[in-house]
Amino acid sequence: MTNRQLAFIGLGNMGGGMAGRLVESGYALTVYNRTASKAAALVAAGAKLADAPERAAAGHGIVMLSLSDEKAVEEILFGRVVPVLAPGTVIVDTSTVSPAYAREAATRLADKGLRRVEACVVGNPLQARKGELRVYVSGDPEDLYEVRPVLEEIGSEVTHVGAPGNAAAMKLILNLLLGAQVASLAEAVAYGTAAGLDRDQLIGVVSQSGFSSMVMRFRAHLMLKRSYEPAFFRSELMEKDIRIAIEAAAEYGTRMPVLDLVREQFASVVAEGDGNKDAAVLVEHRS
């Protein structure tokens, strides 16, 4: 039977949703977040709040991470958490990092007798809270078997995609397609409104057409409402993910000129102070 006690570190939009789902499902969580107030609802639901990541992780056989980038993983996991973990501990890392960093992290943890399950999640915070994420996993199948019940609580689909780094690559590819669709919709709206079309009617027509998709309809809905906060996927994270994907692709000699232009657009959104707003806010920067 899977250990029903675990540590959860990082309670941002996605992390908070996943942790909430696990608490609701009967898991005993010890949680940590840099901004402790984000843990209030979890504590009220029965989670235990730690005042440091190492104190959240100590004594647990499973530690889940949901951190924003490689720098955060380096500081929190390797700088503070790893020294307190017992050999054999499984780190389930849902953070979006580069494939190269994922492979490196797996090797470094293995050298210390620790196990890393790379669990890249696809979806939004609402889906996280409902246990409806898609989870792409890399690493040792035996380690996945051990934590699969946990992952099945947060995801309606758990798919093993091979060796370390593969799940990260899969997640980045999906985010590339998301960024490209948001950018193309924003450009289409800019052209349509300049041509005299009603903005909201245009967005509605595109959203309901055969040229749309689930993610495009979702972002179109946000554009119609001009509702970009709280963000479902922050623009600064979109820029970060596209950037590391482009860098990873370059290692194989694969050029991505379309996505490079998309990255530049999101970089402009961040530079203009809207990095914390949902990626759909790009439409406001093209008007």
Side-chain angles (χ1 to χ4, degrees):
M1 183 176 177
T2 301
N3 190 342
R4 302 289 291 184
Q5 297 186 354
L6 55 89
F8 203 112
I9 298 171
L11 304 173
N13 288 343
M14 291 296 287
M18 289 186 283
R21 172 68 179 181
L22 291 171
V23 169
E24 187 179 80
S25 301
Y27 281 84
L29 264 61
T30 302
V31 300
Y32 169 80
N33 194 67
R34 183 174 55 186
T35 305
S37 60
K38 290 188 176 181
L42 290 168
V43 172
K48 179 181 177 182
L49 178 63
D51 62 359
E54 56 269 33
R55 281 190 274 278
H60 288 93
I62 299 174
V63 177
M64 293 191 70
L65 300 179
S66 180
L67 303 172
S68 59
D69 53 27
E70 293 171 13
K71 179 181 178 182
V73 173
E74 197 66 30
E75 292 176 356
I76 298 296
L77 176 60
F78 289 102
R80 302 180 67 173
V81 170
V82 164
V84 307
L85 298 180
T89 299
V90 182
I91 294 97
V92 180
D93 195 350
T94 70
S95 312
T96 303
V97 299
S98 71
Y101 186 84
R103 291 189 290 268
E104 176 192 329
T107 299
R108 291 165 65 189
L109 291 171
D111 288 344
K112 295 181 179 297
L114 304 170
R115 298 177 288 165
R116 181 180 189 270
V117 170
E118 181 179 326
C120 296
V121 297
V122 176
N124 60 49
L126 296 177
Q127 292 171 314
R129 191 68 180 80
K130 295 178 181 178
E132 297 175 351
L133 298 172
R134 283 173 292 151
V135 187
Y136 297 100
V137 184
S138 289
D140 190 323
E142 291 185 7
D143 297 338
L144 169 58
Y145 179 80
E146 186 168 332
V147 301
R148 190 178 188 98
V150 178
L151 298 178
E152 287 179 343
E153 287 294 348
I154 63 172
S156 57
E157 173 189 333
V158 179
T159 305
H160 187 261
V161 294
N166 283 8
M170 185 75 77
K171 170 69 179 287
L172 290 172
I173 288 167
L174 294 173
N175 282 353
L176 288 175
L177 295 173
L178 169 59
Q181 289 183 71
V182 173
S184 64
L185 179 56
E187 287 192 1
V189 172
Y191 162 57
T193 53
L197 293 172
D198 178 79
R199 176 190 184 276
D200 290 355
Q201 184 182 51
L202 169 60
I203 293 174
V205 167
V206 172
S207 174
Q208 298 304 314
S209 73
F211 301 98
S212 188
S213 67
M214 185 180 296
V215 295
M216 187 178 283
R217 283 191 294 273
F218 186 80
R219 256 64 205 189
H221 179 65
L222 298 182
M223 291 175 185
L224 283 171
K225 296 195 302 178
R226 288 183 166 84
S227 176
Y228 309 116
E229 293 181 288
F232 288 89
F233 191 163
R234 300 203 310 270
S235 294
E236 63 183 359
L237 294 182
M238 178 64 77
E239 189 280 330
K240 182 265 294 184
D241 287 0
I242 296 175
R243 173 167 35 84
I244 62 176
I246 290 171
E247 292 169 355
E251 296 174 9
Y252 301 104
T254 302
R255 294 178 60 253
M256 294 197 289
V258 172
L259 276 305
D260 198 40
L261 291 173
V262 173
R263 186 207 63 78
E264 289 179 7
Q265 292 182 48
F266 282 106
S268 295
V269 171
V270 175
E272 292 173 27
D274 279 348
N276 282 325
K277 295 182 181 179
D278 190 87
V281 78
L282 180 61
V283 73
E284 307 298 340
H285 292 258
R286 295 305 310 257
S287 301

